[in-house]
């Protein structure tokens, strides 16, 4: 594989499974040294690290619940301690819960906003302090829902609308530090989280496939390859973008 990320240090949040694990593997395959963040799945993170090492790369597992502001600094410190200054931050950790308006509760709101928005902001704040003066790349994993706006997803979709807005704001704010900030907005991908929510089958799957121009859901690798592009110098003049990887669904 093309080693366009050779020697770059990448932190991927929520990389113990799903899309984050695939991103960690892809960045490592392209030569990056990868910090694999996890919250509860140590086994999953250790597996991702061992897979990277087996393929000839370098990686460490880094624990931290990013919904807890006081745990964020230790994730950045552990990454710096392992590999030095950070070049690439992938804000992938996220939770999704659907609910009709009538059932929305403060708990449902805070669970999603505390990680998907506040956690993403505070992780970016701390990571940017650990970038070198050469700058780098931040890739936020948003979601196709921010433009698709499915019913029963007001809170989750609001978190991803916020992520898109943050991407555009920070792209302007951090350009002077040579840090590019972009979003990747995936369509449905059958990850562990999607399977646990039951979205990978039944009415949700049928509906997604029927409205997706390409007629199918996506794969984790199809998201990871786009993240690798945005993280790399191939995207040197791309910032503030929200790149939809949804098989054409908008
Ligand atoms: N799958 C889709 O169809 C889809 C579509 C659009 C966007 N997305 C977005 O893509 C991202 C990943 O989704 P996924 O489907 O791969 O999810 P997933 O299979 O549920 O995996 C979630 C990952 O996030 C981590 N995580 C959860 N809470 C965390 C916390 N508080 N602190 C740190 N890490 C935490 C988990 O780690 P532990 O297991 O260690 O707790 C796990 O590694 C999310 O931002 C999601 O909104 C997904």
């Amino acid at each position: 594989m093309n080693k366009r990320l050779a020697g770059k240090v990448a932190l991927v949040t929520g990389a113990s499974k799903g899309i984050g694990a695939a991103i960690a593997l892809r960045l490592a395959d392209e030569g990056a040294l990868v910090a694999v963040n996890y919250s509860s799945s140590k086994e999953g993170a250790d597996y991702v690290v061992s897979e990277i090492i087996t393929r000839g790369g370098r990686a460490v597992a880094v624990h931290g619940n990013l919904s807890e502001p006081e745990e964020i600094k230790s994730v950045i410190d552990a990454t710096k301690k392992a590999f030095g200054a950070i070049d690439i931050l992938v804000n992938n950790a996220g939770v999704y819960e659907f609910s009709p308006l009538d059932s929305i509760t403060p708990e449902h709101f805070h669970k999603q906003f505390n990680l998907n928005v506040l956690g993403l902001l505070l992780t970016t704040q701390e990571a940017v302090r650990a970038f070198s003066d050469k700058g780098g790349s931040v890739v936020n994993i948003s979601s196709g829902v921010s433009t698709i706006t499915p019913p029963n997803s007001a809170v989750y979709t609001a978190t991803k609308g916020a992520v898109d807005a943050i991407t555009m704001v920070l792209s302007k704010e951090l350009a002077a530090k040579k840090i590019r900030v972009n979003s990747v907005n995936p369509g449905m991908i059958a990850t562990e989280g999607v399977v646990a929510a039951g979205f990978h089958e039944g009415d949700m799957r049928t509906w997604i496939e029927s409205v997706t121009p390409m007629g199918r859901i996506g794969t984790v690798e199809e998201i990871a390859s786009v993240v690798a592009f945005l993280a790399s110098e191939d995207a040197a003049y791309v910032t503030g973008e929200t790149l939809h990887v949804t098989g054409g669904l908008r």
Side-chain angles (χ1 to χ4, degrees):
M1 185 163 290
N2 181 338
K3 297 284 181 195
R4 63 185 163 175
L5 302 178
K8 300 283 183 198
V9 174
L11 167 61
V12 183
T13 69
S16 59
K17 55 169 84 103
I19 292 172
I23 294 169
L25 288 164
R26 175 67 187 233
L27 299 186
D29 281 346
E30 295 207 20
L33 289 62
V34 182
V36 175
N37 162 249
Y38 68 99
S39 177
S40 57
S41 313
K42 182 174 186 317
E43 209 173 290
D46 286 344
Y47 176 75
V48 173
V49 169
S50 69
E51 190 63 22
I52 288 172
I53 291 169
T54 301
R55 295 187 197 183
R58 287 178 64 194
V60 287
V62 173
H63 176 258
N65 175 352
L66 305 176
S67 295
E68 300 292 340
E70 64 277 8
E71 293 194 26
I72 290 173
K73 191 164 181 308
S74 69
V75 172
I76 308 300
D77 288 347
T79 305
K80 259 171 54 183
K81 191 169 169 222
F83 298 132
I86 299 174
D87 303 292
I88 298 161
L89 168 67
V90 183
N91 283 311
N92 167 78
V95 282
Y96 34 88
E97 273 181 10
F98 278 35
S99 169
L101 176 66
D102 200 43
S103 305
I104 289 173
T105 61
E107 290 73 24
H108 170 78
F109 178 93
H110 289 298
K111 181 176 174 192
Q112 297 183 82
F113 265 86
N114 284 356
L115 179 63
N116 300 7
V117 183
L118 182 59
L120 176 144
L121 270 174
L122 296 179
T123 302
T124 308
Q125 175 190 66
E126 205 58 61
V128 162
R129 293 175 179 149
F131 275 52
S132 77
D133 55 13
K134 287 195 243 122
S137 173
V138 176
V139 183
N140 295 325
I141 306 303
S142 177
S143 172
V145 297
S146 67
T147 52
I148 300 163
T149 61
N152 305 317
S153 75
V155 173
Y156 176 60
T157 294
T159 69
K160 296 304 190 179
V163 170
D164 290 351
I166 289 166
T167 294
M168 288 186 269
V169 170
L170 293 186
S171 70
K172 294 169 185 163
E173 216 172 306
L174 298 177
K177 291 185 193 286
K178 303 187 200 119
I179 299 173
R180 297 179 295 103
V181 187
N182 293 289
S183 288
V184 171
N185 298 46
M188 188 193 279
I189 314 291
T191 59
E192 287 87 336
V194 160
V195 169
F199 294 155
H200 66 301
E201 58 188 10
D203 290 351
M204 180 68 102
R205 169 82 174 252
T206 306
W207 173 70
I208 292 282
E209 288 178 338
S210 71
V211 293
T212 299
M214 288 180 71
R216 65 171 176 87
I217 65 168
T219 67
V220 291
E221 291 81 11
E222 287 168 335
I223 305 304
S225 61
V226 176
V227 172
F229 161 68
L230 288 172
S232 80
E233 283 302 298
D234 287 341
Y237 200 47
V238 182
T239 197
E241 276 300 329
T242 47
L243 212 168
H244 286 246
V245 189
T246 57
L249 180 60
R250 290 299 282 261

